[in-house]
Amino acid sequence: MFGSDALRRRAPLNANRQIAAFLIARGDAARDARDWSRAAVWYEEALRLAPSRGEIHVQHGHMLKEAGATQAAEQAYLAAQRLMPDDADLALQLGHFYKKVGRLAAARDAYQRAITLKPRWEEAQNELAALPKTSAATMEIPATDLYLAEAAQALADSSKSVRLVPALQPRPEGALLRDYNECVEVRQMGRHERGAWGVKRTVRGVATIRGFGISRTPVAEVQLLLDGRLFHRGSVRGPYALMQERHPHGLNKYVFNLWYDFANLPAGRHMFELRLLDAEGEARSFHDDIVIASPLREVDFPDSDALVEERSADPTLLEQRIRARASMVRSARRELLPRAVANMLVLRTDQLGDMVASVPAMRRLRELFPEARIVGLLTGANAGFAESLSVFDEVIVVDFPDDDMERRRIMPLDAQQALRDRLQPYAFDLAIDLAQAGVSRELLQLSGAPFLYGVEGSDFHWLSADFALNTRDPVNRLDVVPHSRKTMALVETLGAIVQDSFRTERRDDLDRKRLQRFGISAADRYIVLHMGARVAFSRWTGFPELAALLIERTDLKVVMMTEDRNVRPALAPQLVASAKFQLLEERLEYDDFDTIVSFADVLVGNDSGPKHLASFRGIKTVTLHTARINWSTWGHEGDGVILSRRVPCAGCDIFYDSEDCGKDFACIRDISAEEVFKAVRLYV
């Protein structure tokens, strides 16, 4: 059963949700009008109907804080924390709150928690560093808490020339425990896109709905609803025990990973609900506005494994078709840009000083793309200077004024349309904004270029690539590097990502005779099958079958490498007995390992270090890549091919919680031995 009586809900309760949404909207309006007390009342009323909305508890806390009701604000924040214990931003907000009310020790703990939840978060680190320092004797740290006491001492001891870093020391067992609550969490479903309805979660064609629920009562099924109407029922995996639970009280995790073709549903904006039903008929739901948009085509995005162009109204048949498809086989040599750069648009739509500071970067662009036609999109303030430099093949002057009332640069819609129409005939391949500030970044979207590049910003997720460089004055934390160097770094980074800098390197000090101790003669042609990988679930399971195919159909000797002592007993006796098979099942000295890799004809490996070493040594390499991360990022470089699979849940980024997959890692296990054998035959 889900939670207390106050939290139990029998589906559907559309009326309550609609009323809560109305109250939240009134609260938002009062907040925007800076009427803090009235906003707090509206949010409080909404929470009576939707007490599990952690984000509304946060807004309630913000309003109470601004209204001066600090004790009530703290209770609101803590209520949100109970619902969202792993929310780093909430921990940061708690730090701000405690700092404001003068509780510095609590603020310090909150900021540290934010950093723990989101490592290397600069904002939280800066807030922590900026807190007034107190001595170890006056810090609010329990005397029995040795861990915190040691941390305080390390922070307070400024006499040492090298400061210690308390954040890196192991935490005590108690600090690793977590408080869990019954909940529903969706980890993957579409992506947020900007459209006619604003920025909304958008699904196109075949999509995954992946996540989990935490429940005390066993979960029976997952239901998907659109505008209150049920359109799919699915099963869950579980129960799974919760890790490091502080107060075990019968909660378990139930995982879902549903593949569904949204092209079968009406396009447009809808209210989506994912509902988990437990064995007692109780329900808990996840709600969100979604936009169903037209499907994308695989031919337009050949390098993305997350795009699956497959049609079936039956989700079971859809999954069967996806899993029956051939694996993707791509060359390890790849380019970031979708095509060669023939036409480039460069934005410098600001002032003369900005243009002067950009001269080295613009000349570097010419060196990087010597054959490209480079067009400058400039303002009248800098066009004359630019034309005197001969850095552009053509200059387009645009009216893009800085408005005092708007406090930003603006361009009316009719002027935008005129600019888009003017730029369209150029068919730009790449558009780059040299501005460090984001005032002109949106203009890139009018270029029509398939590759858009500029300095990063939270509102510019649509950029094809972005760049960030921040230096800091030790006192005021502002930038200290000259603008010209930051702009040059922007351009140099573009050059680094579009140009292939990978080079192979052989070792002259390795002797092939070293192989004899491992049963490999000087005359043997052999293939290395490396079975290992640090992330256990990214290991392909078809190596024994592949070894049998290689022995049967080629003249290669097969050297299988593993550190798992359970591999040998599981191998077929005829494979182990073959004179063409050698199993190495121990950790080797590095030079021995490097020698075996360096003289191989081919190496087949998982997403792991050995395949990178093989490619670096110039060995033909076949990578078997799990879709948890993009093949184009961590697939090997150099010679060879990368095998992967198109699945809707590609990019899950699962690392520690392997149970979260819900599909038995079909993205790696569905690669067949026959497919890998054919890839090897490209080279032997």
Side-chain angles (χ1 to χ4, degrees):
M1 172 177 312
F2 287 114
S4 65
D5 290 339
L7 292 178
R8 292 179 195 167
R9 300 180 294 172
R10 287 196 178 274
L13 290 177
N14 290 324
N16 281 355
R17 289 199 300 271
Q18 291 172 357
I19 295 172
F22 169 78
L23 295 170
I24 291 168
R26 296 297 296 269
D28 291 345
R31 177 200 61 200
D32 295 342
R34 305 177 69 82
D35 190 345
W36 315 125
S37 297
R38 187 176 297 274
V41 172
W42 287 119
Y43 289 136
E44 183 177 3
E45 290 300 316
L47 287 168
R48 295 182 191 279
L49 298 174
S52 62
R53 294 283 297 274
E55 75 279 10
I56 305 304
H57 283 284
V58 174
Q59 289 298 320
H60 189 213
H62 288 341
M63 298 305 99
L64 291 168
K65 178 184 70 173
E66 295 297 333
T70 55
Q71 290 185 345
E74 181 181 21
Q75 294 306 310
Y77 286 132
L78 293 177
Q81 189 177 57
R82 286 192 291 271
L83 293 168
M84 304 185 298
D86 298 328
D87 192 303
D89 186 72
L90 175 55
L92 181 75
Q93 296 301 325
L94 268 169
H96 294 339
F97 169 79
Y98 287 129
K99 181 175 69 172
K100 181 176 180 178
V101 300
R103 295 171 59 182
L104 299 186
R108 185 173 292 105
D109 291 344
Y111 287 137
Q112 185 60 65
R113 177 174 175 78
I115 296 169
T116 300
L117 293 171
K118 186 177 179 180
R120 299 183 298 278
W121 191 8
E122 185 174 281
E123 183 178 358
Q125 291 173 334
N126 290 343
E127 291 288 352
L128 182 62
L131 282 177
K133 301 297 188 296
T134 59
S135 68
T138 61
M139 290 179 69
E140 300 175 26
I141 298 178
T144 57
D145 194 334
L146 179 61
Y147 171 77
L148 290 179
E150 291 175 349
Q153 181 60 42
L155 287 171
D157 187 1
S158 59
S159 63
K160 297 180 179 180
S161 59
V162 179
R163 297 288 298 274
L164 302 182
V165 187
L168 297 181
Q169 71 170 334
R171 287 173 288 172
E173 183 176 351
L176 298 176
L177 299 178
R178 301 171 56 188
D179 294 313
Y180 290 93
N181 296 284
E182 292 186 305
C183 67
V184 179
E185 183 164 337
V186 173
R187 289 294 180 89
Q188 275 183 280
M189 180 183 170
R191 65 179 186 179
H192 285 82
E193 297 182 16
R194 180 180 298 172
W197 292 279
V199 179
K200 296 291 182 184
R201 187 191 298 268
T202 303
V203 290
R204 298 176 177 272
V206 178
T208 186
I209 306 97
R210 186 184 68 82
F212 59 84
I214 296 177
S215 173
R216 180 174 292 105
T217 304
V219 173
E221 70 173 14
V222 56
Q223 297 180 349
L224 305 181
L225 299 90
L226 205 66
D227 301 324
R229 294 187 176 184
L230 180 70
F231 68 89
H232 179 59
R233 282 188 168 94
S235 60
V236 297
R237 299 282 187 95
Y240 299 105
L242 297 173
M243 299 295 292
Q244 299 166 331
E245 190 174 10
R246 187 184 307 276
H247 303 294
H249 43 65
L251 293 174
N252 287 293
K253 178 193 280 190
Y254 297 86
V255 172
F256 51 87
N257 187 352
L258 311 176
W259 296 349
Y260 193 86
D261 184 7
F262 282 86
N264 297 316
L265 299 176
R269 179 180 175 180
H270 302 275
M271 173 57 73
F272 172 81
E273 179 182 355
L274 183 144
R275 182 184 297 165
L276 291 183
L277 290 182
D278 68 22
E280 297 182 1
E282 301 290 338
R284 173 163 290 197
S285 298
F286 165 89
H287 301 86
D288 199 4
D289 281 343
I290 69 167
V291 174
I292 299 177
S294 57
L296 303 175
R297 300 190 309 160
E298 289 182 5
V299 67
D300 295 328
F301 302 91
D303 293 335
S304 177
D305 281 345
L307 176 57
V308 181
E309 197 174 0
E310 194 71 49
R311 294 286 170 262
S312 176
D314 180 352
T316 301
L317 182 58
L318 176 69
E319 178 171 343
Q320 292 173 355
R321 288 180 175 176
I322 292 173
R323 299 190 64 168
R325 293 177 59 159
S327 299
M328 303 302 299
V329 182
R330 300 183 178 94
S331 171
R333 297 191 180 277
R334 51 198 181 269
E335 301 293 340
L336 177 64
L337 297 181
R339 57 180 183 249
V341 178
N343 295 289
M344 178 190 304
L345 182 67
V346 178
L347 274 63
R348 193 77 262 194
T349 53
D350 28 39
Q351 301 305 119
L352 176 61
D354 303 298
M355 175 61 71
V356 173
S358 300
V359 171
M362 291 185 293
R363 288 183 169 151
R364 179 59 176 150
L365 272 176
R366 174 60 70 192
E367 294 173 355
L368 291 170
F369 302 94
E371 304 301 324
R373 181 188 188 191
I374 302 181
V375 178
L377 184 64
L378 316 174
T379 60
N382 55 34
F385 173 70
E387 289 176 342
S388 73
L389 297 172
S390 300
V391 295
F392 297 117
D393 295 299
E394 186 177 341
V395 168
I396 297 176
V397 178
V398 64
D399 186 22
F400 192 42
D402 193 350
D403 187 273
D404 290 339
M405 295 299 294
E406 292 270 358
R407 301 190 177 193
R408 62 191 179 102
R409 292 185 180 269
I410 59 172
M411 181 180 292
L413 291 178
D414 58 346
Q416 293 182 37
Q417 184 63 55
L419 178 59
R420 172 176 286 173
D421 293 344
R422 186 174 181 185
L423 298 178
Q424 183 177 8
Y426 290 90
F428 290 113
D429 304 296
L430 183 152
I432 175 175
D433 183 9
L434 297 181
Q436 293 294 316
V439 293
S440 54
R441 204 79 72 249
E442 300 283 5
L443 288 180
L444 287 172
Q445 298 184 89
L446 303 178
S447 69
F451 192 92
L452 306 177
Y453 179 62
V455 174
E456 73 169 0
S458 59
D459 296 328
F460 309 133
H461 298 297
W462 42 265
L463 288 171
S464 307
D466 58 34
F467 167 82
L469 169 65
N470 296 295
T471 58
R472 295 172 184 83
D473 181 288
V475 178
N476 65 18
R477 312 302 290 172
L478 296 180
D479 226 335
V480 295
V481 72
H483 186 84
S484 62
R485 299 183 193 178
K486 294 195 71 170
T487 311
M488 176 64 86
L490 169 70
V491 170
E492 289 287 10
T493 301
L494 176 63
I497 61 179
V498 301
Q499 294 184 337
D500 185 3
S501 59
F502 182 83
R503 300 291 182 271
T504 61
E505 185 176 310
R506 302 283 296 185
R507 285 180 61 181
D508 295 332
D509 61 327
L510 296 181
D511 190 341
R512 190 181 176 97
K513 294 179 181 178
R514 195 184 192 113
L515 299 173
Q516 294 177 2
R517 72 181 77 170
F518 303 106
I520 307 170
S521 72
D524 284 336
R525 296 177 62 240
Y526 65 94
I527 180 172
V528 172
L529 306 184
H530 192 280
M531 302 179 68
R534 181 167 63 99
V535 181
F537 56 76
S538 68
R539 299 169 189 164
W540 185 56
T541 57
F543 282 106
E545 184 180 354
L546 174 63
L549 291 175
L550 290 165
I551 289 173
E552 177 186 352
R553 302 182 192 177
T554 74
D555 60 352
L556 294 171
K557 187 164 191 172
V558 175
V559 179
M560 182 179 286
M561 303 184 73
T562 180
E563 295 177 19
D564 185 353
R565 293 288 183 174
N566 295 318
V567 168
R568 183 182 292 273
L571 295 176
Q574 60 269 30
L575 178 63
V576 177
S578 173
K580 294 170 61 179
F581 180 78
Q582 185 71 26
L583 177 64
L584 304 180
E585 49 186 337
E586 60 181 335
R587 180 181 289 271
L588 304 178
E589 294 292 332
Y590 175 74
D591 283 350
D592 291 333
F593 177 75
D594 201 347
T595 302
I596 293 172
V597 169
S598 296
F599 289 102
D601 286 76
V602 181
L603 180 139
V604 181
N606 297 307
D607 179 24
S608 187
K611 59 94 178 278
H612 291 292
L613 175 64
S615 62
F616 183 65
R617 295 294 183 224
I619 305 305
K620 305 294 185 183
T621 304
V622 176
T623 291
L624 308 173
H625 197 85
T626 176
R628 58 177 291 271
I629 51 179
N630 286 342
W631 69 270
S632 53
T633 300
W634 277 111
H636 73 276
E637 298 179 80
D639 287 333
V641 293
I642 301 166
L643 276 71
S644 63
R645 297 199 52 88
R646 285 185 180 266
V647 290
C649 49
C652 65
D653 203 24
I654 294 172
F655 192 90
Y656 292 109
D657 301 318
S658 59
E659 73 276 6
D660 283 1
C661 171
K663 292 292 185 189
D664 297 321
F665 294 98
C667 61
I668 184 71
R669 295 180 182 177
D670 282 356
I671 298 175
S672 73
E674 189 67 38
E675 288 175 317
V676 183
F677 176 77
K678 290 179 180 178
V680 171
R681 289 296 281 167
L682 296 173
Y683 308 110
V684 294

